[in-house]
Amino acid sequence: MPKKKPLLSFQWQTLTSTISTTFVLILLGLTVLCALTAKNVGDSVKQSLTVTAILTDEATEASSLKLKQQLEKEHWIKDINYISAEKALKEQTEAMGTDPSEFLGENPYTPLLEMHLEADYACTDSLVWITKEVKQKALVADVVYQKDLVERLNRNLTKLSYVLLAISVVLLVITIVLINNTVRLSVYSRRFVIHTMRLVGASWSFIRRPFMLRSLYIGLTAGLLACASLGAALHTLIQYDSQMLVYLPLENLIITGVSVITSGLLLTLVCTFISVSHFLSLPESKLYG
């Protein structure tokens, strides 16, 4: 019986360390996932902004479609929709409830090209040179977009990015501190084992090895458990609202999973290395403090 007690105590320490690390890694994973999701939502909103190229009266359907094909080759274009003068009149008639051509005697609208840009180019600076470049096309009379909306959107997204960055830094510090404390307490409980091994002439690397292997096990297990917990939570969320799949691509889930497992391994190993080295360098008089 006396021999089983230390073994049970050691196993209990391993279990509690694994559970504690798992909860901390879940918090870290949520932070990473929220940051990636916020970027996807921001990009989606940017790509929904419409830049309209108003074509001249001389623009035929054939020439307009040719211009559309030319613009589609530009790297900053996400997609383009061609709207004929007749379609524009129909849409405005439905929106206004009256046909403008009845009292004007002709269709007042010209063909349009509605462009959606890649997210990286939906900002004020890029739109300035994009507008200038599109205006140089022969059939383009003018290029319009909601300048105030673009500026307000980018300003708000920038503020959100700073807030998320600050939260991420704070949570990362909390994660490091909590994992370090968990590992330190675990190593502290076996400080006399470390001291005994040092007295019998064991090298520092030999003494560290079992602790490092145990930390490797704890970090990997905690990382996998955290990923499983996050996966279960996301599965439940998607079952409740399938639209969340738009903002949770597989790429983001992979990045989150890799970040969680890598962080679990690195943090536990580094903290264990530092803690064991600390107790190895302590004089015997301070082991009882």
Side-chain angles (χ1 to χ4, degrees), residues 186-217:
S186 177
V187 175
Y188 177 81
S189 66
R190 298 180 65 78
R191 66 193 184 283
F192 293 110
V193 175
I194 295 174
H195 180 64
T196 302
M197 294 176 70
R198 188 180 64 176
L199 289 178
V200 298
S203 64
W204 283 28
S205 60
F206 180 83
I207 297 173
R208 283 197 197 99
R209 189 175 300 121
F211 290 95
M212 298 297 287
L213 290 175
R214 177 170 173 264
S215 291
L216 181 66
Y217 168 78

mmCIF file of all heavy atoms in Angstrom, residues 186-217:
data_model
loop_
_atom_site.group_PDB
_atom_site.id
_atom_site.type_symbol
_atom_site.label_atom_id
_atom_site.label_comp_id
_atom_site.label_asym_id
_atom_site.label_seq_id
_atom_site.Cartn_x
_atom_site.Cartn_y
_atom_site.Cartn_z
ATOM 1 N N SER A 186 3.580 21.347 -10.431
ATOM 2 C CA SER A 186 3.806 19.922 -10.656
ATOM 3 C C SER A 186 5.275 19.549 -10.403
ATOM 4 O O SER A 186 5.572 18.537 -9.766
ATOM 5 C CB SER A 186 3.403 19.545 -12.087
ATOM 6 O OG SER A 186 3.678 18.198 -12.348
ATOM 7 N N VAL A 187 6.179 20.388 -10.894
ATOM 8 C CA VAL A 187 7.607 20.134 -10.695
ATOM 9 C C VAL A 187 7.986 20.362 -9.231
ATOM 10 O O VAL A 187 8.811 19.632 -8.657
ATOM 11 C CB VAL A 187 8.449 21.036 -11.628
ATOM 12 C CG1 VAL A 187 9.941 20.854 -11.342
ATOM 13 C CG2 VAL A 187 8.154 20.716 -13.087
ATOM 14 N N TYR A 188 7.375 21.361 -8.606
ATOM 15 C CA TYR A 188 7.664 21.677 -7.193
ATOM 16 C C TYR A 188 7.377 20.487 -6.280
ATOM 17 O O TYR A 188 8.130 20.224 -5.328
ATOM 18 C CB TYR A 188 6.824 22.883 -6.765
ATOM 19 C CG TYR A 188 6.989 23.245 -5.310
ATOM 20 C CD1 TYR A 188 8.085 23.988 -4.882
ATOM 21 C CD2 TYR A 188 6.040 22.841 -4.365
ATOM 22 C CE1 TYR A 188 8.237 24.319 -3.531
ATOM 23 C CE2 TYR A 188 6.191 23.169 -3.025
ATOM 24 C CZ TYR A 188 7.297 23.904 -2.611
ATOM 25 O OH TYR A 188 7.442 24.225 -1.286
ATOM 26 N N SER A 189 6.304 19.756 -6.581
ATOM 27 C CA SER A 189 5.945 18.610 -5.746
ATOM 28 C C SER A 189 6.975 17.495 -5.834
ATOM 29 O O SER A 189 7.014 16.609 -4.983
ATOM 30 C CB SER A 189 4.565 18.074 -6.156
ATOM 31 O OG SER A 189 4.613 17.542 -7.468
ATOM 32 N N ARG A 190 7.843 17.536 -6.849
ATOM 33 C CA ARG A 190 8.866 16.492 -7.002
ATOM 34 C C ARG A 190 10.277 17.071 -6.909
ATOM 35 O O ARG A 190 11.234 16.514 -7.447
ATOM 36 C CB ARG A 190 8.667 15.790 -8.360
ATOM 37 C CG ARG A 190 7.300 15.099 -8.457
ATOM 38 C CD ARG A 190 7.117 14.420 -9.801
ATOM 39 N NE ARG A 190 8.057 13.322 -9.984
ATOM 40 C CZ ARG A 190 7.936 12.117 -9.443
ATOM 41 N NH1 ARG A 190 6.910 11.853 -8.655
ATOM 42 N NH2 ARG A 190 8.830 11.175 -9.667
ATOM 43 N N ARG A 191 10.368 18.195 -6.206
ATOM 44 C CA ARG A 191 11.669 18.854 -6.094
ATOM 45 C C ARG A 191 12.680 18.012 -5.336
ATOM 46 O O ARG A 191 13.886 18.063 -5.619
ATOM 47 C CB ARG A 191 11.512 20.232 -5.433
ATOM 48 C CG ARG A 191 11.050 20.183 -3.979
ATOM 49 C CD ARG A 191 10.625 21.583 -3.522
ATOM 50 N NE ARG A 191 10.258 21.626 -2.103
ATOM 51 C CZ ARG A 191 9.117 21.183 -1.607
ATOM 52 N NH1 ARG A 191 8.221 20.616 -2.411
ATOM 53 N NH2 ARG A 191 8.857 21.279 -0.314
ATOM 54 N N PHE A 192 12.213 17.200 -4.377
ATOM 55 C CA PHE A 192 13.141 16.372 -3.611
ATOM 56 C C PHE A 192 13.672 15.209 -4.453
ATOM 57 O O PHE A 192 14.803 14.765 -4.260
ATOM 58 C CB PHE A 192 12.460 15.850 -2.347
ATOM 59 C CG PHE A 192 12.137 16.936 -1.356
ATOM 60 C CD1 PHE A 192 10.829 17.310 -1.123
ATOM 61 C CD2 PHE A 192 13.155 17.598 -0.687
ATOM 62 C CE1 PHE A 192 10.537 18.322 -0.224
ATOM 63 C CE2 PHE A 192 12.872 18.604 0.217
ATOM 64 C CZ PHE A 192 11.556 18.979 0.449
ATOM 65 N N VAL A 193 12.832 14.743 -5.394
ATOM 66 C CA VAL A 193 13.296 13.703 -6.329
ATOM 67 C C VAL A 193 14.411 14.278 -7.198
ATOM 68 O O VAL A 193 15.441 13.631 -7.447
ATOM 69 C CB VAL A 193 12.127 13.208 -7.205
ATOM 70 C CG1 VAL A 193 12.628 12.228 -8.267
ATOM 71 C CG2 VAL A 193 11.052 12.558 -6.350
ATOM 72 N N ILE A 194 14.207 15.530 -7.650
ATOM 73 C CA ILE A 194 15.237 16.194 -8.458
ATOM 74 C C ILE A 194 16.527 16.341 -7.660
ATOM 75 O O ILE A 194 17.630 16.059 -8.159
ATOM 76 C CB ILE A 194 14.730 17.577 -8.918
ATOM 77 C CG1 ILE A 194 13.542 17.417 -9.866
ATOM 78 C CG2 ILE A 194 15.847 18.370 -9.595
ATOM 79 C CD1 ILE A 194 12.882 18.733 -10.268
ATOM 80 N N HIS A 195 16.381 16.761 -6.400
ATOM 81 C CA HIS A 195 17.573 16.960 -5.561
ATOM 82 C C HIS A 195 18.297 15.635 -5.307
ATOM 83 O O HIS A 195 19.536 15.578 -5.370
ATOM 84 C CB HIS A 195 17.151 17.587 -4.224
ATOM 85 C CG HIS A 195 18.293 17.822 -3.289
ATOM 86 N ND1 HIS A 195 19.312 18.706 -3.574
ATOM 87 C CD2 HIS A 195 18.582 17.275 -2.051
ATOM 88 C CE1 HIS A 195 20.172 18.705 -2.576
ATOM 89 N NE2 HIS A 195 19.752 17.848 -1.638
ATOM 90 N N THR A 196 17.544 14.557 -5.054
ATOM 91 C CA THR A 196 18.151 13.243 -4.808
ATOM 92 C C THR A 196 18.919 12.764 -6.039
ATOM 93 O O THR A 196 20.053 12.256 -5.921
ATOM 94 C CB THR A 196 17.064 12.212 -4.436
ATOM 95 O OG1 THR A 196 16.368 12.670 -3.273
ATOM 96 C CG2 THR A 196 17.684 10.860 -4.165
ATOM 97 N N MET A 197 18.325 12.919 -7.212
ATOM 98 C CA MET A 197 18.986 12.504 -8.453
ATOM 99 C C MET A 197 20.247 13.323 -8.690
ATOM 100 O O MET A 197 21.270 12.807 -9.165
ATOM 101 C CB MET A 197 18.025 12.653 -9.635
ATOM 102 C CG MET A 197 16.822 11.713 -9.573
ATOM 103 S SD MET A 197 15.637 11.991 -10.928
ATOM 104 C CE MET A 197 16.583 11.381 -12.314
ATOM 105 N N ARG A 198 20.193 14.594 -8.300
ATOM 106 C CA ARG A 198 21.383 15.436 -8.456
ATOM 107 C C ARG A 198 22.499 14.986 -7.514
ATOM 108 O O ARG A 198 23.681 14.995 -7.869
ATOM 109 C CB ARG A 198 21.005 16.899 -8.188
ATOM 110 C CG ARG A 198 22.112 17.881 -8.516
ATOM 111 C CD ARG A 198 21.680 19.296 -8.238
ATOM 112 N NE ARG A 198 21.411 19.496 -6.801
ATOM 113 C CZ ARG A 198 21.096 20.672 -6.267
ATOM 114 N NH1 ARG A 198 20.986 21.742 -7.039
ATOM 115 N NH2 ARG A 198 20.873 20.776 -4.969
ATOM 116 N N LEU A 199 22.115 14.559 -6.306
ATOM 117 C CA LEU A 199 23.111 14.131 -5.317
ATOM 118 C C LEU A 199 23.833 12.853 -5.741
ATOM 119 O O LEU A 199 25.008 12.665 -5.414
ATOM 120 C CB LEU A 199 22.447 13.914 -3.954
ATOM 121 C CG LEU A 199 21.986 15.171 -3.205
ATOM 122 C CD1 LEU A 199 21.297 14.801 -1.903
ATOM 123 C CD2 LEU A 199 23.172 16.108 -2.942
ATOM 124 N N VAL A 200 23.110 11.976 -6.452
ATOM 125 C CA VAL A 200 23.749 10.716 -6.858
ATOM 126 C C VAL A 200 24.531 10.874 -8.163
ATOM 127 O O VAL A 200 25.019 9.889 -8.718
ATOM 128 C CB VAL A 200 22.698 9.586 -7.006
ATOM 129 C CG1 VAL A 200 22.018 9.309 -5.687
ATOM 130 C CG2 VAL A 200 21.664 9.923 -8.087
ATOM 131 N N GLY A 201 24.645 12.101 -8.640
ATOM 132 C CA GLY A 201 25.511 12.369 -9.784
ATOM 133 C C GLY A 201 24.834 12.362 -11.146
ATOM 134 O O GLY A 201 25.521 12.372 -12.177
ATOM 135 N N ALA A 202 23.514 12.345 -11.168
ATOM 136 C CA ALA A 202 22.809 12.365 -12.457
ATOM 137 C C ALA A 202 23.006 13.719 -13.135
ATOM 138 O O ALA A 202 23.017 14.762 -12.476
ATOM 139 C CB ALA A 202 21.319 12.101 -12.247
ATOM 140 N N SER A 203 23.173 13.685 -14.445
ATOM 141 C CA SER A 203 23.356 14.929 -15.200
ATOM 142 C C SER A 203 22.033 15.685 -15.285
ATOM 143 O O SER A 203 20.949 15.118 -15.133
ATOM 144 C CB SER A 203 23.869 14.636 -16.613
ATOM 145 O OG SER A 203 22.906 13.900 -17.356
ATOM 146 N N TRP A 204 22.119 16.985 -15.553
ATOM 147 C CA TRP A 204 20.904 17.804 -15.640
ATOM 148 C C TRP A 204 19.997 17.309 -16.778
ATOM 149 O O TRP A 204 18.771 17.279 -16.626
ATOM 150 C CB TRP A 204 21.281 19.264 -15.866
ATOM 151 C CG TRP A 204 21.761 19.949 -14.610
ATOM 152 C CD1 TRP A 204 22.383 19.372 -13.535
ATOM 153 C CD2 TRP A 204 21.644 21.344 -14.302
ATOM 154 N NE1 TRP A 204 22.671 20.307 -12.587
ATOM 155 C CE2 TRP A 204 22.236 21.546 -13.019
ATOM 156 C CE3 TRP A 204 21.128 22.437 -14.970
ATOM 157 C CZ2 TRP A 204 22.298 22.791 -12.424
ATOM 158 C CZ3 TRP A 204 21.189 23.692 -14.372
ATOM 159 C CH2 TRP A 204 21.759 23.862 -13.109
ATOM 160 N N SER A 205 20.600 16.945 -17.891
ATOM 161 C CA SER A 205 19.795 16.476 -19.026
ATOM 162 C C SER A 205 19.076 15.166 -18.694
ATOM 163 O O SER A 205 17.926 14.957 -19.097
ATOM 164 C CB SER A 205 20.682 16.286 -20.256
ATOM 165 O OG SER A 205 21.705 15.333 -20.007
ATOM 166 N N PHE A 206 19.749 14.304 -17.932
ATOM 167 C CA PHE A 206 19.135 13.033 -17.521
ATOM 168 C C PHE A 206 17.960 13.291 -16.570
ATOM 169 O O PHE A 206 16.921 12.632 -16.664
ATOM 170 C CB PHE A 206 20.189 12.149 -16.837
ATOM 171 C CG PHE A 206 19.652 10.818 -16.390
ATOM 172 C CD1 PHE A 206 19.555 9.749 -17.278
ATOM 173 C CD2 PHE A 206 19.227 10.636 -15.065
ATOM 174 C CE1 PHE A 206 19.046 8.518 -16.851
ATOM 175 C CE2 PHE A 206 18.719 9.412 -14.641
ATOM 176 C CZ PHE A 206 18.621 8.355 -15.545
ATOM 177 N N ILE A 207 18.139 14.237 -15.650
ATOM 178 C CA ILE A 207 17.066 14.559 -14.703
ATOM 179 C C ILE A 207 15.879 15.201 -15.417
ATOM 180 O O ILE A 207 14.722 14.933 -15.109
ATOM 181 C CB ILE A 207 17.608 15.503 -13.602
ATOM 182 C CG1 ILE A 207 18.714 14.795 -12.802
ATOM 183 C CG2 ILE A 207 16.487 15.961 -12.678
ATOM 184 C CD1 ILE A 207 19.425 15.702 -11.821
ATOM 185 N N ARG A 208 16.186 16.053 -16.382
ATOM 186 C CA ARG A 208 15.104 16.751 -17.103
ATOM 187 C C ARG A 208 14.270 15.801 -17.958
ATOM 188 O O ARG A 208 13.082 16.027 -18.161
ATOM 189 C CB ARG A 208 15.699 17.817 -18.027
ATOM 190 C CG ARG A 208 16.152 19.085 -17.361
ATOM 191 C CD ARG A 208 16.319 20.184 -18.401
ATOM 192 N NE ARG A 208 17.114 21.280 -17.885
ATOM 193 C CZ ARG A 208 18.399 21.439 -18.135
ATOM 194 N NH1 ARG A 208 19.050 20.557 -18.871
ATOM 195 N NH2 ARG A 208 19.051 22.468 -17.633
ATOM 196 N N ARG A 209 14.909 14.741 -18.486
ATOM 197 C CA ARG A 209 14.260 13.912 -19.511
ATOM 198 C C ARG A 209 12.868 13.412 -19.099
ATOM 199 O O ARG A 209 11.912 13.602 -19.864
ATOM 200 C CB ARG A 209 15.170 12.746 -19.886
ATOM 201 C CG ARG A 209 14.651 11.957 -21.107
ATOM 202 C CD ARG A 209 15.630 10.885 -21.527
ATOM 203 N NE ARG A 209 16.908 11.468 -21.874
ATOM 204 C CZ ARG A 209 18.067 11.177 -21.280
ATOM 205 N NH1 ARG A 209 18.087 10.301 -20.266
ATOM 206 N NH2 ARG A 209 19.187 11.731 -21.666
ATOM 207 N N PRO A 210 12.679 12.767 -17.951
ATOM 208 C CA PRO A 210 11.339 12.278 -17.611
ATOM 209 C C PRO A 210 10.308 13.403 -17.459
ATOM 210 O O PRO A 210 9.137 13.230 -17.804
ATOM 211 C CB PRO A 210 11.551 11.538 -16.283
ATOM 212 C CG PRO A 210 12.835 12.053 -15.746
ATOM 213 C CD PRO A 210 13.673 12.385 -16.915
ATOM 214 N N PHE A 211 10.759 14.539 -16.944
ATOM 215 C CA PHE A 211 9.846 15.669 -16.809
ATOM 216 C C PHE A 211 9.442 16.219 -18.182
ATOM 217 O O PHE A 211 8.276 16.584 -18.395
ATOM 218 C CB PHE A 211 10.508 16.780 -15.973
ATOM 219 C CG PHE A 211 10.671 16.439 -14.522
ATOM 220 C CD1 PHE A 211 11.860 15.910 -14.048
ATOM 221 C CD2 PHE A 211 9.628 16.639 -13.634
ATOM 222 C CE1 PHE A 211 12.008 15.591 -12.707
ATOM 223 C CE2 PHE A 211 9.767 16.326 -12.287
ATOM 224 C CZ PHE A 211 10.965 15.798 -11.820
ATOM 225 N N MET A 212 10.404 16.274 -19.094
ATOM 226 C CA MET A 212 10.119 16.770 -20.443
ATOM 227 C C MET A 212 9.180 15.819 -21.186
ATOM 228 O O MET A 212 8.258 16.258 -21.893
ATOM 229 C CB MET A 212 11.424 16.949 -21.231
ATOM 230 C CG MET A 212 12.379 17.972 -20.627
ATOM 231 S SD MET A 212 11.720 19.659 -20.582
ATOM 232 C CE MET A 212 11.826 20.078 -22.321
ATOM 233 N N LEU A 213 9.408 14.497 -21.009
ATOM 234 C CA LEU A 213 8.531 13.518 -21.660
ATOM 235 C C LEU A 213 7.112 13.604 -21.095
ATOM 236 O O LEU A 213 6.132 13.504 -21.834
ATOM 237 C CB LEU A 213 9.101 12.107 -21.465
ATOM 238 C CG LEU A 213 10.376 11.785 -22.236
ATOM 239 C CD1 LEU A 213 10.902 10.406 -21.852
ATOM 240 C CD2 LEU A 213 10.122 11.849 -23.746
ATOM 241 N N ARG A 214 7.022 13.798 -19.770
ATOM 242 C CA ARG A 214 5.702 13.943 -19.151
ATOM 243 C C ARG A 214 5.010 15.207 -19.656
ATOM 244 O O ARG A 214 3.802 15.197 -19.939
ATOM 245 C CB ARG A 214 5.875 13.993 -17.636
ATOM 246 C CG ARG A 214 4.570 14.218 -16.864
ATOM 247 C CD ARG A 214 4.820 14.006 -15.382
ATOM 248 N NE ARG A 214 3.660 14.369 -14.585
ATOM 249 C CZ ARG A 214 3.491 15.544 -13.991
ATOM 250 N NH1 ARG A 214 4.441 16.470 -14.109
ATOM 251 N NH2 ARG A 214 2.413 15.797 -13.281
ATOM 252 N N SER A 215 5.750 16.286 -19.806
ATOM 253 C CA SER A 215 5.174 17.530 -20.320
ATOM 254 C C SER A 215 4.745 17.383 -21.771
ATOM 255 O O SER A 215 3.726 17.943 -22.186
ATOM 256 C CB SER A 215 6.192 18.670 -20.199
ATOM 257 O OG SER A 215 6.403 18.992 -18.854
ATOM 258 N N LEU A 216 5.537 16.613 -22.525
ATOM 259 C CA LEU A 216 5.172 16.353 -23.918
ATOM 260 C C LEU A 216 3.833 15.624 -23.983
ATOM 261 O O LEU A 216 2.956 15.962 -24.794
ATOM 262 C CB LEU A 216 6.263 15.520 -24.590
ATOM 263 C CG LEU A 216 6.057 15.179 -26.071
ATOM 264 C CD1 LEU A 216 6.112 16.440 -26.919
ATOM 265 C CD2 LEU A 216 7.120 14.188 -26.539
ATOM 266 N N TYR A 217 3.674 14.662 -23.117
ATOM 267 C CA TYR A 217 2.412 13.904 -23.049
ATOM 268 C C TYR A 217 1.256 14.813 -22.632
ATOM 269 O O TYR A 217 0.177 14.796 -23.248
ATOM 270 C CB TYR A 217 2.571 12.747 -22.055
ATOM 271 C CG TYR A 217 1.270 12.083 -21.683
ATOM 272 C CD1 TYR A 217 0.646 11.179 -22.538
ATOM 273 C CD2 TYR A 217 0.642 12.387 -20.464
ATOM 274 C CE1 TYR A 217 -0.562 10.581 -22.190
ATOM 275 C CE2 TYR A 217 -0.556 11.793 -20.114
ATOM 276 C CZ TYR A 217 -1.156 10.887 -20.978
ATOM 277 O OH TYR A 217 -2.343 10.311 -20.645
#
